[in-house]
Amino acid sequence: PTYARAYAGLASVELLNSNAAGAQGERPIADVLPVAQELLDRAMELAPDDAAVWLRVALLRQFGGDFAGAEAAYVKARELQSNINLNNYAVMLGQQDRVLDGAELLAQQKEVNPRSPAIRGNLIAAYARLERFDDAERELAEFKEQFPDAKGQFSAVHVESGLRMSRGEWARAGESAQ
């Protein structure tokens, strides 16, 4: 009952099981936000200077559509812990047509956490959106070598197929998905 990160973790579970953009669940975000907010309020009471708690506050604000508030919370999390995973922040920047800012952040995050298929997959997608296809192809080759067994949206098949579609290579996109 006094462990802030437990409350923050529960808030993450609630948020990621919603239907918000970037989440993977079906529960309406409008139903999830008050529950997650209550959990994060408790986490903030217990540990107002915990970067992991601020990261979840940022996610709550992001999923709730408060992008300025989310950005402020992501910045606070990074101030508190310089190596914190800001993959969701980078994705949010891309969703706001700040793709270059997102790609630069993802490149920094890759240096901090090179074993994250999510960071690497999102970096490939950002490079594709910027039409930096040479960079995207180089990252894809490394991705396929480093994460041959990754599953879900960050599987090598999914990431490559997305890049091929970004390039308008529809036949190759289909081939890579097989």
Side-chain angles (χ1 to χ4, degrees):
T2 60
Y3 186 46
R5 287 189 177 190
Y7 288 102
L10 289 171
S12 286
V13 169
E14 292 288 340
L15 291 165
L16 294 172
N17 281 315
S18 76
N19 64 356
Q24 299 170 350
E26 298 178 10
R27 292 187 51 215
I29 188 63
D31 295 345
V32 170
L33 288 172
V35 174
Q37 183 67 63
E38 185 176 321
L39 291 163
L40 286 169
D41 288 346
R42 179 67 178 135
M44 289 297 285
E45 286 174 20
L46 294 168
D49 292 326
D50 188 320
V53 173
W54 277 98
L55 198 61
R56 279 27 174 249
V57 169
L59 190 63
L60 173 103
R61 292 177 181 166
Q62 179 179 345
F63 283 9
D66 175 9
F67 300 117
E71 185 161 8
Y74 281 124
V75 168
K76 178 70 173 178
R78 189 177 210 178
E79 287 172 1
L80 292 168
Q81 182 182 329
S82 62
N83 67 341
I84 199 149
N85 185 333
L86 296 173
N87 183 50
N88 286 323
Y89 179 27
V91 170
M92 182 187 82
L93 292 172
Q95 291 168 337
Q96 295 180 298
D97 293 326
R98 295 170 57 192
V99 182
L100 182 58
D101 292 339
E104 290 171 353
L105 180 57
L106 286 164
Q108 293 169 8
Q109 291 290 291
K110 174 187 155 189
E111 296 304 314
V112 173
N113 188 358
R115 297 288 306 154
S116 169
I119 290 170
R120 301 292 290 272
N122 284 326
L123 180 58
I124 293 165
Y127 283 154
R129 282 190 65 195
L130 293 167
E131 297 184 2
R132 290 174 49 181
F133 294 118
D134 289 344
D135 291 331
E137 292 290 349
R138 179 182 35 68
E139 287 292 333
L140 176 63
E142 290 177 19
F143 184 97
K144 289 168 70 173
E145 184 176 310
Q146 192 169 14
F147 307 109
D149 300 323
K151 305 288 185 228
Q153 79 182 78
F154 296 110
S155 68
V157 168
H158 186 85
V159 171
E160 181 173 10
S161 182
L163 175 57
R164 299 290 163 243
M165 287 187 288
S166 294
R167 296 191 77 156
E169 300 171 345
W170 303 107
R172 286 187 69 193
E175 290 170 11
S176 68
Q178 294 179 8

